[in-house]
């Protein structure tokens, strides 16, 4: 049989106490005084989705007792769900391995934050050319949608993070989308690839860095000849490395900004792979922001 800890909990060792931390209420729901290190470690192992045969027989007995006593915090899952959940946790572990130094909270806190982010964030890829390779992003909740099919009235603007293929949208579509984003505090990342270069970013957060029409430099996404986009594996993997970082709570918890797109963008030449980084800033004379806020 396979089990997982419910989506909104994380088990934390706090001194000599084991706590069931509620990710939504951001507080412990249950604290158990436990001095036995072996039992403590078993509790912590149950953060990962599991099947009984993952554990030695002695531990299986203890786990059965835990499941019986704290059944409100766990659910039985199918094998398919187990595989899916394991992938999510692998995403979290891989992310922590390379990014833990960018946070001021401890590893357990980062894991809790990432679990909440990966479970709650819906990544919406806006493109009229369907060139994102969503197979790469397994483990995340993703969808690819044509701009005309996107109904912004039904979007959960807090928990949706957008990745926009700017090349495939018209300037009017980008302007409509930006008006919505700056007024609804939306997180969106722009991506573009053409024959010569890849542009990854900027990631804009509501009006924090202005809109796509603000900075002169952001015009890189606007004033170009609209044509066929070509998304290579490089652009997809650059998007992949940014995905968890631009989740709403993660991006604000990063004390060391190790993103390549938060309030900035990177232009990479496809001839020699030389990369240049540019910052973007709100512009007080921006016509789009002016008509939205005044
Ligand atoms: Zn603007």
């Amino acid at each position: 049989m396979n089990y997982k800890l419910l989506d909104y909990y994380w088990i934390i060792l706090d001194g000599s106490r084991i706590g069931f931390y509620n990710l939504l209420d951001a507080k412990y729901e249950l604290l158990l005084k436990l001095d036995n290190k072996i039992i403590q470690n078993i509790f912590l192992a149950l953060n990962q989705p599991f099947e009984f045969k993952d554990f030695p027989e002695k531990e299986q007995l203890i786990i059965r007792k835990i499941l019986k006593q704290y059944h409100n915090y766990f659910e039985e899952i199918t094998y398919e769900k187990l595989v899916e959940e394991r992938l999510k946790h692998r995403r979290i572990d891989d992310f922590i391995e390379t990014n833990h130094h960018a946070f001021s909270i401890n590893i357990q806190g980062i894991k809790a934050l990432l679990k909440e982010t990966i479970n709650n964030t819906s990544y919406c890829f806006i493109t009229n050319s369907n060139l994102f390779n969503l197979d790469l992003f397994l483990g995340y909740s993703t969808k690819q949608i044509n701009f005309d099919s996107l109904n912004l009235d039904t979007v959960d603007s807090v928990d949706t993070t957008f990745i926009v293929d700017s090349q495939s949208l018209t300037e009017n579509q980008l302007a409509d989308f930006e008006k919505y984003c700056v007024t609804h505090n939306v997180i969106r990342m722009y991506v573009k690839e053409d024959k010569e270069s890849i542009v990854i970013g900027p990631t804009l957060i509501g009006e924090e860095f202005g809109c796509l029409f603000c900075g002169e430099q952001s015009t890189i996404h606007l004033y170009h000849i609209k044509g066929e986009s070509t998304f290579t594996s490089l652009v997809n993997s650059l998007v992949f490395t940014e995905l968890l970082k631009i989740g709403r709570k993660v991006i604000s918890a990063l004390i060391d900004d190790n993103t390549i797109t938060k309030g900035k963008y990177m232009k990479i030449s496809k001839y020699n792979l030389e990369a240049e980084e540019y910052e973007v800033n709100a512009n007080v004379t921006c016509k789009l922001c002016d008509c939205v806020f005044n």
Side-chain angles (χ1 to χ4, degrees):
M1 281 193 289
N2 319 305
Y3 289 88
K4 73 185 261 266
L5 181 67
L6 293 182
D7 281 349
Y8 301 121
Y9 294 100
W10 191 257
I11 300 172
I12 292 178
L13 178 63
D14 186 346
S16 61
R17 296 178 306 173
I18 280 288
F20 283 81
Y21 189 79
N22 185 316
L23 299 171
L24 291 184
D25 300 340
K27 63 177 186 195
Y28 287 116
E29 222 166 79
L30 180 71
L31 274 168
L32 310 165
K33 181 100 180 73
L34 272 178
D35 291 319
N36 185 321
K37 291 257 178 313
I38 295 171
I39 311 270
Q40 285 175 355
N41 286 333
I42 291 176
F43 265 100
L44 292 179
L46 301 186
N47 275 313
Q48 306 283 336
F50 63 92
E51 49 189 330
F52 276 103
K53 66 178 169 62
D54 297 341
F55 296 92
E57 256 173 53
K58 254 190 189 169
E59 294 190 6
Q60 288 184 21
L61 281 174
I62 299 167
I63 292 168
R64 280 183 208 286
K65 280 186 189 160
I66 294 174
L67 287 179
K68 200 170 169 196
Q69 195 160 356
Y70 305 105
H71 57 90
N72 288 342
Y73 296 97
F74 296 91
E75 67 177 316
E76 199 182 329
I77 51 174
T78 60
Y79 182 73
E80 288 72 31
K81 185 76 181 162
L82 178 72
V83 173
E84 198 181 298
E85 286 292 314
R86 280 187 166 151
L87 183 58
K88 267 191 211 174
H89 282 261
R90 202 179 322 138
R91 298 284 187 231
I92 292 173
D93 292 341
D94 290 349
F95 182 85
I96 286 176
E97 210 175 298
T98 45
N99 297 290
H100 63 91
H101 52 79
F103 297 86
S104 63
I105 43 178
N106 65 25
I107 297 281
Q108 295 190 78
I110 304 171
K111 283 189 176 178
L113 178 71
L114 295 175
K115 179 179 177 183
E116 188 191 350
T117 298
I118 209 164
N119 278 331
N120 288 355
T121 310
S122 160
Y123 292 94
C124 181
F125 292 76
I126 304 179
T127 171
N128 292 338
S129 49
N130 292 327
L131 286 169
F132 290 104
N133 178 8
L134 294 194
D135 287 348
L136 248 184
F137 308 112
L138 287 176
Y140 295 97
S141 157
T142 57
K143 68 173 172 193
Q144 188 150 224
I145 191 164
N146 187 294
F147 185 79
D148 290 327
S149 315
L150 179 70
N151 182 356
L152 290 171
D153 295 333
T154 61
V155 163
D156 176 348
S157 59
V158 176
D159 289 327
T160 305
T161 291
F162 291 95
I163 293 92
V164 186
D165 165 20
S166 64
Q167 178 92 339
S168 78
L169 270 64
T170 66
E171 193 172 328
N172 283 342
Q173 288 174 329
L174 288 168
D176 286 346
F177 181 65
E178 275 298 310
K179 279 178 197 159
Y180 170 81
C181 291
V182 289
T183 49
H184 290 77
N185 197 22
V186 170
I187 298 181
R188 67 279 188 201
M189 173 167 79
Y190 287 94
V191 188
K192 179 192 142 185
E193 176 167 0
D194 56 29
K195 265 192 267 171
E196 285 94 33
S197 61
I198 289 170
V199 178
I200 172 114
T203 292
L204 305 172
I205 308 167
E207 51 174 320
E208 193 178 329
F209 300 100
C211 75
L212 188 66
F213 292 76
C214 267
E216 246 173 67
Q217 290 151 331
S218 303
T219 54
I220 191 157
H221 283 287
L222 300 174
Y223 304 111
H224 51 75
I225 302 156
K226 299 281 176 183
E228 282 291 300
S229 306
T230 51
F231 275 10
T232 51
S233 55
L234 176 59
V235 80
N236 276 297
S237 56
L238 285 168
V239 171
F240 181 84
T241 61
E242 289 291 276
L243 271 196
L244 260 179
K245 292 178 192 168
I246 61 171
R248 191 169 296 274
K249 286 190 180 168
V250 178
I251 203 165
S252 56
L254 287 170
I255 47 151
D256 172 20
D257 177 19
N258 64 352
T259 68
I260 45 177
T261 62
K262 181 184 172 187
K264 60 197 173 202
Y265 67 88
M266 189 182 268
K267 185 178 178 190
I268 301 162
S269 156
K270 285 165 79 171
Y271 296 118
N272 53 18
L273 292 182
E274 262 177 32
E276 292 165 86
E277 196 180 281
Y278 302 88
E279 271 184 31
V280 296
N281 291 300
N283 177 357
V284 284
T285 60
C286 169
K287 281 189 186 137
L288 187 137
C289 288
D290 191 50
C291 89
V292 170
F293 294 112
N294 294 309

